Amino acid sequence: MEAQMAEKTVYIENPDILAAVFGSFDCNIRIIEDAFGVRIYSRMEADGVEAVVVIGDGEDAVKKAAETVECLKGMITTGD
């Protein structure tokens, strides 16, 4: 029986915040991917909102990685 891939989506309305979340040469995303063993990519939703998609084998790892992306988004948004 194959393991089901888990997936979580984080929505980012501002393209400048999306760029900051990914970081220079996607360095922030690579760190998160390596730390949690997940893959992260962005896609444009039909309504024009950017979505950061986190996928991986483990639900817990995907959840924690998505929470990290959310936290980074919040820090960038508030300037903390």
Side-chain angles (χ1 to χ4, degrees):
M1 184 181 268
E2 285 186 37
Q4 183 122 4
M5 295 291 278
E7 181 177 310
K8 295 262 185 220
T9 304
V10 177
Y11 296 99
I12 300 178
E13 292 78 15
N14 184 322
D16 293 332
I17 293 173
L18 177 68
V21 165
F22 270 76
S24 182
F25 301 104
D26 299 341
C27 65
N28 295 338
I29 292 302
R30 285 196 191 115
I31 291 168
I32 297 169
E33 287 178 329
D34 290 345
F36 297 104
V38 298
R39 299 299 304 157
I40 300 173
Y41 64 94
S42 67
R43 70 172 179 228
M44 179 72 73
E45 297 291 305
D47 58 3
V49 175
E50 291 281 355
V52 175
V53 182
V54 182
I55 58 172
D57 290 330
E59 183 71 35
D60 191 50
V62 169
K63 180 182 175 204
K64 288 179 180 177
E67 288 171 353
T68 302
V69 171
E70 286 276 9
C71 183
L72 186 55
K73 172 187 160 186
M75 289 170 54
I76 293 164
T77 302
T78 62
D80 289 343

